Amino acid sequence: MNHLPDNYLTLNSEQTRILCDPILTDDTDLGEHDYIILTHIDFDTLDLLDNYVGSKPIYLSFELFKLIQKLVRVDLLEPVQANLKILPYNYSVKLGGIQMAAFKNDDGQFGSFTLIARGSHSTIGYCDSFYSHGNHKKRIKKWKKAFREKQLDTLILGSKIAPISEQKNILSENGMQEMLLKFITKNPADQPLTALLSPFDPERLYRYDKTAKQNQRPIVWDKNYLQLLESFYPFAEFFSAKNLPTTAQSIIVQVEQSQQLKHMNTFLDPALLHPNAVNIAGLIYQKHLCALTLAELNEFVSYIDPGQVIMKEDRSLAQDHSIPQKWLRSLELTI
């Protein structure tokens, strides 16, 4: 087995070096590079944005750029000093000697995308993960078709989509709303309730708000989350400590930190990704969002039909994924 310990994709041409979703560690720097591309948000993304001291451009999607700006504005992220640039969707951009095209994706968080990179020698497709039970299946269908049509020499995948060794139920967006509904119905109306939610997908927060209201347990939002929601949904009504609902029998108080949850019945967002929520050891998924079954993974790869497949191991995963050993190869490619 030969894979890089830093576990991120590096694309090289004769004159250009691009790092895709790099990981900063205490004992390893990023080395020489011309550009950085962040295709999604996770702990490693947040760590890079917080600690990167270089001046090289960091490219991300417009959606992720917008989310980061708004999270900083409402004090849910520290100010970002990095040189952020937007990589447009569905439009070919040349970064040095490598042609890049980004496609909207859905990985259970906000603003993810996939990449097709073409050099003078080969073409690769890169997808860290995708969520087959999410809200944006059309996005996935579109980039899968683009990957197939490009006749990729190499397909790079993240191990979050590899099958989980122990059989588990994969959670859907609708399933998360059903979890909130069950939480509401099993608790007495006069019992105080709280919710610890991820700020990294405003679409899901908006759905939680609607589900809670429809079941007479509206969410009362903390001011930071309230400002975040209002910036994405300026025409919707959200409740806060300043405008408590007058007709509801009971409410759910949204809190930001696990320390606030003592002696409370709490709904825990299955997609928690807040750096200071519950646990700071790594990504927190009560149920996994992106894993495919072995049959689904084989069907996906067969449809793309690349020359070869390489899978990178995601260090922050707690689940035991079954990764084909033949796919574990070096993540430094010359294209």
Side-chain angles (χ1 to χ4, degrees):
M1 184 171 73
N2 178 26
H3 62 285
L4 297 180
D6 291 325
N7 194 33
Y8 56 83
L9 175 62
T10 302
L11 300 177
N12 298 303
S13 70
E14 286 79 0
Q15 68 268 39
T16 309
R17 184 176 176 86
I18 300 176
L19 310 182
C20 298
D21 299 319
I23 298 170
L24 282 176
T25 62
D26 294 334
D27 54 355
T28 306
D29 62 28
L30 297 178
E32 291 294 325
H33 59 278
D34 300 293
Y35 307 96
I36 292 175
I37 294 177
L38 301 178
T39 69
H40 61 279
I41 191 165
D42 62 9
F43 259 37
D44 293 322
T45 305
L46 298 174
D47 184 54
L48 181 85
L49 293 174
D50 193 41
N51 295 293
Y52 183 70
V53 295
S55 60
K56 297 298 174 65
I58 298 179
Y59 283 86
L60 49 132
S61 71
F62 169 75
E63 289 179 334
L64 186 50
F65 181 83
K66 176 182 175 181
L67 177 63
I68 288 170
Q69 278 192 322
K70 293 185 181 298
L71 288 170
V72 170
R73 190 174 302 162
V74 302
D75 297 323
L76 287 171
L77 273 184
E78 292 295 323
V80 176
Q81 306 300 325
N83 180 20
L84 300 183
K85 303 285 186 180
I86 294 173
L87 194 63
Y89 300 124
N90 308 316
Y91 183 79
S92 186
V93 175
K94 193 166 187 179
L95 300 182
I98 300 176
Q99 204 80 29
M100 315 291 296
F103 300 86
K104 284 185 178 182
N105 186 33
D106 183 0
D107 68 348
Q109 303 298 342
F110 193 77
S112 70
F113 64 91
T114 64
L115 276 176
I116 292 178
R118 182 169 55 86
S120 57
H121 304 293
S122 63
T123 301
I124 72 109
Y126 171 52
C127 174
D128 181 76
S129 64
F130 67 92
Y131 184 25
S132 59
H133 304 274
N135 292 324
H136 300 292
K137 296 179 181 179
K138 289 183 179 179
R139 294 183 177 187
I140 296 168
K141 185 177 180 180
K142 184 174 181 178
W143 67 251
K144 283 168 62 176
K145 182 180 179 182
F147 277 28
R148 177 182 174 87
E149 289 175 348
K150 287 296 182 182
Q151 300 180 325
L152 302 177
D153 297 290
T154 304
L155 174 64
I156 311 292
L157 301 173
S159 63
K160 287 195 283 289
I161 68 171
I164 299 176
S165 301
E166 181 182 348
Q167 185 64 36
K168 295 183 180 181
N169 293 326
I170 303 301
L171 196 60
S172 68
E173 288 294 331
N174 290 337
M176 293 188 207
Q177 302 304 316
E178 291 171 4
M179 288 178 65
L180 177 59
L181 176 58
K182 289 179 181 178
F183 172 76
I184 290 172
T185 55
K186 77 176 184 180
N187 286 290
D190 60 349
Q191 191 168 348
L193 303 176
T194 55
L196 189 65
L197 307 173
S198 168
F200 294 103
D201 192 341
E203 293 176 327
R204 187 180 296 126
L205 293 179
Y206 181 60
R207 288 195 67 187
Y208 280 143
D209 187 80
K210 291 178 64 176
T211 297
K213 285 175 180 172
Q214 289 167 359
N215 292 277
Q216 289 72 54
R217 283 285 186 94
I219 298 173
V220 174
W221 295 94
D222 180 86
K223 64 176 183 178
N224 294 342
Y225 276 63
L226 176 67
Q227 292 171 1
L228 178 67
L229 279 166
E230 289 177 338
S231 68
F232 278 93
Y233 301 98
F235 301 109
E237 180 186 28
F238 302 102
F239 294 121
S240 70
K242 293 183 179 180
N243 67 328
L244 292 173
T246 57
T247 58
Q249 292 181 333
S250 186
I251 59 175
I252 301 174
V253 179
Q254 180 260 322
V255 294
E256 288 188 36
Q257 303 294 331
S258 58
Q259 293 91 323
Q260 298 172 270
L261 306 180
K262 295 177 182 178
H263 313 300
M264 294 272 191
N265 284 341
T266 303
F267 174 75
L268 295 178
D269 189 339
L272 277 172
L273 188 58
H274 195 300
N276 299 313
V278 182
N279 186 327
I280 61 172
L283 284 175
I284 304 158
Y285 288 116
Q286 289 178 307
K287 292 185 181 289
H288 198 68
L289 300 180
C290 296
L292 303 176
T293 65
L294 182 59
E296 289 172 333
L297 180 60
N298 288 336
E299 182 182 4
F300 165 71
V301 172
S302 177
Y303 174 78
I304 303 296
D305 194 25
Q308 66 171 342
V309 180
I310 299 176
M311 183 168 278
K312 64 188 186 77
E313 291 184 285
D314 296 281
R315 64 174 186 169
S316 52
L317 290 181
Q319 289 87 0
D320 182 16
H321 289 256
S322 299
I323 305 172
Q325 292 295 306
K326 62 182 180 180
W327 289 358
L328 289 171
R329 303 174 186 173
S330 174
L331 290 166
E332 180 151 1
L333 302 178
T334 297
I335 66 173

